[in-house]
Amino acid sequence: MIKVLLAEDQGMMRGALALLLGLEEDIEVVAQVGAGDEIVPAAIEARPDVALLDIELPGRSGLDAAAELRTRCPGCRVLILTTFGRPGYLRRAMEAGAAGFLVKDGPVEELAAAIRRVLAGETVIDPSLAAAALSAGPNPLTAREADVLNAAADGATVADIAARVHLSESTVRNHLSSVIGKTGTRNRMEAVRAARRQGWL
C-alpha cells in the first residue's frame, strides 16, 4: 500500500480527496491535516510514502513544509496540488525538493497515477504549467527583496517594515525601489500583487 499524507485547508475538499484516493486499491490516506504547521509532525508520526500538499495553508505554506520534509522525512516524496498554477510557485516547489506539481482541476485518476509515479522516482509536472514557467523566466527578486515585499503587503510603513525585517529604513526604501523596478509597477502594493500573481511571494 502507498501511504499518503493529505494537507488541504478546506475540509470538504480534504474529505473528498481522501475518500476518492481511498477507493484506489493500492493507496491509503494515513494522515490528514488542515494547516501547514501540522504537516511535518503528522509526517513524522504517520511516515507516509507521499505527502500531497496544498501551497496556501494557514500557519505555514506547503512549500516551506516541503523543504523541511526533505530533511526530516527523507523517504517521503512531496507532490504539490494547488488551485494556483503560478510559474513562480512551480520553481519554488522544485527548489524545495517537491517531486511533482499538479493543479486541482485534473481528474482523480490522474492524481492517483501521479502519486504512483513520484513514488517510483519520477518527477510529475502539469505540462501547461511547465511551459508557462519556462516562458516566465526565473524569479528576479532576491530573498531579501521578497522579505521586504512580504512585510509591505499589509500596507505597513517603511519604519514598520524596517523593524520587522531588521534593516534600516534607507535599506528598506532601496529594496522597495528595486522591487518596483523589477516588477514594472508604480508602487509597492502593485508590486505585491504582481509578485503574488507570478508566485514569487
Side-chain angles (χ1 to χ4, degrees), residues 85-187:
R86 296 173 180 153
Y89 278 170
L90 172 57
R91 285 184 181 276
R92 287 170 57 200
M94 295 299 109
E95 287 164 7
F101 194 105
L102 296 174
V103 287
K104 287 180 185 172
D105 58 3
V108 74
E109 297 82 14
E110 198 175 283
L111 177 59
I115 289 170
R116 294 181 190 105
R117 287 173 61 196
V118 298
L119 190 60
E122 292 182 47
T123 299
V124 181
I125 298 171
D126 183 276
S128 60
L129 192 57
L134 286 171
S135 64
N139 177 356
L141 306 183
T142 66
R144 220 33 168 146
E145 287 170 348
D147 289 344
V148 168
L149 197 55
N150 263 323
D154 62 359
T157 65
V158 168
D160 289 340
I161 297 166
R164 285 180 195 170
V165 297
H166 311 291
L167 293 172
S168 71
E169 290 183 29
S170 62
T171 303
V172 165
R173 283 191 194 92
N174 288 341
H175 282 315
L176 287 173
S177 176
S178 174
V179 164
I180 289 166
K182 287 178 178 179
T183 54
T185 53
R186 293 174 298 180
N187 57 54

Side-chain angles (χ1 to χ4, degrees), residues 16 68 79 93 113 123 127 140 163 181 190-191:
E68 189 178 346
L79 182 57
T123 299
E190 280 187 16

Side-chain angles (χ1 to χ4, degrees), residues 1-6 14-32 47-52 77 79 81 102 107-120:
M1 291 293 280
I2 301 170
K3 296 188 294 182
V4 173
L5 176 149
L6 185 55
R14 186 171 63 246
L17 270 173
L19 190 65
L20 289 167
L21 289 173
L23 296 174
E24 299 289 323
E25 289 181 4
D26 58 341
I27 295 176
E28 179 188 3
V29 177
V30 293
Q32 296 181 48
R47 292 289 166 193
D49 301 304
V50 177
L52 196 56
R77 304 278 284 165
L79 182 57
L81 183 67
L102 296 174
V108 74
E109 297 82 14
E110 198 175 283
L111 177 59
I115 289 170
R116 294 181 190 105
R117 287 173 61 196
V118 298
L119 190 60

Side-chain angles (χ1 to χ4, degrees), residues 8-18:
E8 162 63 56
D9 61 331
Q10 296 177 11
M12 190 179 291
M13 170 73 89
R14 186 171 63 246
L17 270 173

